[in-house]
Amino acid sequence: MPELPEVHTTVEGLKKTVVGLEISDVWTNYKSDYTPYKNQIKNKNFFKKFKKTVTGQKIVGAERKHKNILIHLDSGDTILIHMKMTGHLLYGQYVRSNSKSQAPKDKHWLVETWRPHPKEKEALHDPFNRHIRLVFSFTNGKHLVLSDMRKFAKVTLLETEDLSVLGPEPLEKTFTFEVFKKQILKKPTAPIKSVLMDETVIAGIGNIYSDEILFEAGVHPESTPGTIPEGVLKNIFTHIKPILRKGIKFGGDSMSDYRDINGARGNFQGEHKAYRKTGNPCSKKDGGLIERKVIRGRSAHFCSKHQKLEGQ
């Protein structure tokens, strides 16, 4: 799932490519009658409203709010995109076409698809960029598309979304140790790994970066906030901003399918010290081997030798 650095990198790409452009059309093949999707473009009735609202509007800005991408229009409306597990935005020239699909065996029909123009940059032709679910066409002949292999991404208008339930933004100056401590101790008995990933506690720290933060802080992912001494909590806090900023510096993490606005891979996966390093030697002098354990449904990667389980 794209985390804070990946979303930040995407927004910076949007600022360089689509701000100032006018939307001439919108296309999607998202379709769902699932009730929670009634205010998202996956609902056909909402999509009709969405398309009518945004077509003809000029993009005047883009920003990140936690893990949400906000695209501001000159009408005063804002498009909200949450990339969820496999979504990422791409900018370039795309070609609309029909291809034959077979299912069941005795029937054929045409399925509408979008592909990068043959002359577009090589990165856009990456196989991870081919799952096009949403296309914004611009009057300059270019397109902003959403590739989303597993179809989990969320697209709506800001007026339908309330972001107030999300925790504080970890890169803001107002995110002090006092704020961090207050938020973390809201869940004193939960594993620190899970608490760091909880969007209602701190927004933007996902699976990859929580592993890397706890590795550097020397804290076992199953330690609980209520048992972690204040000095150790401060150590965790001091690693949050530097690691997230490092993720941004390296253009995000493409260990999985994340790609930037130009279709290129990020490079933070080359900086991992814990995430998906199972069986590798720990880089710390007093370390052992990196282990993997599922904690509340999510994989945690850590060194049990130098990452201490607090309260034991």
Side-chain angles (χ1 to χ4, degrees):
M1 176 186 290
E3 300 173 22
L4 187 154
E6 290 75 49
V7 180
H8 178 95
T9 300
T10 296
V11 168
E12 291 303 303
L14 290 173
K15 291 177 181 178
K16 295 175 182 177
T17 54
V18 303
V19 172
L21 299 184
E22 181 180 325
I23 300 170
S24 60
D25 195 14
V26 189
W27 171 94
T28 189
N29 63 3
Y30 279 126
K31 292 179 182 178
S32 177
D33 294 324
Y34 186 43
T35 302
Y37 292 154
K38 65 181 181 179
N39 289 325
Q40 299 182 36
I41 64 166
K42 293 175 182 178
N43 178 284
K44 63 181 180 180
N45 292 324
F46 184 84
F47 178 70
K48 289 179 182 178
K49 172 189 173 184
F50 179 89
K51 182 175 180 178
K52 182 178 180 181
T53 300
V54 306
T55 300
Q57 299 301 321
K58 183 179 289 187
I59 295 177
V60 295
E63 66 173 312
R64 176 184 63 80
K65 183 70 172 178
H66 308 303
K67 289 187 188 178
N68 298 282
I69 295 169
L70 305 181
I71 299 175
H72 303 301
L73 308 177
D74 61 354
S75 62
D77 294 295
T78 294
I79 299 168
L80 181 148
I81 301 174
H82 193 303
M83 299 189 286
K84 298 291 183 180
M85 297 220 30
T86 61
H88 53 277
L89 292 169
L90 304 159
Y91 176 76
Q93 186 176 2
Y94 280 73
V95 179
R96 188 174 185 170
S97 62
N98 290 319
S99 63
K100 285 187 177 181
S101 176
Q102 181 177 341
K105 293 182 179 180
D106 60 340
K107 292 184 179 180
H108 293 77
W109 60 84
L110 294 178
V111 176
E112 201 170 40
T113 60
W114 289 79
R115 294 288 182 268
H117 189 277
K119 294 184 179 180
E120 269 294 0
K121 57 182 74 72
E122 183 179 349
L124 286 181
H125 296 269
D126 183 320
F128 280 107
N129 297 333
R130 67 187 177 190
H131 306 282
I132 307 303
R133 312 297 182 195
L134 173 67
V135 179
F136 293 94
S137 299
F138 298 111
T139 53
N140 70 346
K142 296 279 190 174
H143 304 87
L144 177 67
V145 309
L146 174 62
S147 177
D148 182 18
M149 181 172 66
R150 298 184 67 180
K151 301 183 181 181
F152 289 157
K154 176 180 181 178
V155 183
T156 186
L157 293 173
L158 184 60
E159 60 193 29
T160 68
E161 178 69 11
D162 181 9
L163 301 179
S164 62
V165 298
L166 296 176
E169 161 63 55
L171 292 183
E172 293 285 341
K173 291 182 179 179
T174 54
F175 185 68
T176 62
F177 172 69
E178 288 71 25
V179 172
F180 167 76
K181 180 181 176 182
K182 177 183 177 182
Q183 291 297 111
I184 287 292
L185 291 178
K186 286 181 177 180
K187 300 199 171 182
T189 61
I192 186 65
K193 161 83 174 178
S194 303
V195 179
L196 286 175
M197 293 177 60
D198 190 330
E199 289 279 284
T200 66
V201 176
I202 303 171
I205 301 176
N207 207 24
I208 297 170
Y209 298 98
S210 60
D211 275 354
E212 297 300 311
I213 290 165
L214 292 174
F215 177 87
E216 292 295 350
V219 178
H220 194 285
E222 291 183 301
S223 299
T224 57
T227 64
I228 299 176
E230 182 160 317
V232 179
L233 284 177
K234 285 182 178 179
N235 196 25
I236 296 173
F237 173 75
T238 60
H239 286 95
I240 292 176
K241 292 185 180 184
I243 287 176
L244 292 176
R245 286 173 178 151
K246 186 176 181 180
I248 293 170
K249 176 183 176 182
F250 281 88
D253 193 296
S254 292
M255 175 66 79
S256 185
D257 63 344
Y258 171 73
R259 301 296 184 268
D260 69 14
I261 200 77
N262 298 306
R265 294 166 62 89
N267 293 298
F268 186 74
Q269 63 274 11
E271 303 299 311
H272 291 177
K273 294 183 179 179
Y275 184 72
R276 291 197 181 180
K277 290 288 187 178
T278 308
N280 289 355
C282 172
S283 60
K284 301 292 185 181
K285 290 183 179 180
D286 58 343
L289 296 177
I290 301 300
E291 304 173 24
R292 175 185 176 273
K293 185 173 184 178
V294 177
I295 299 175
R296 294 199 172 183
R298 302 302 297 273
S299 294
H301 304 83
F302 59 97
C303 168
S304 59
K305 190 172 181 181
H306 96 270
Q307 289 179 248
K308 298 179 180 180
L309 182 60
E310 301 294 338
Q312 297 293 311

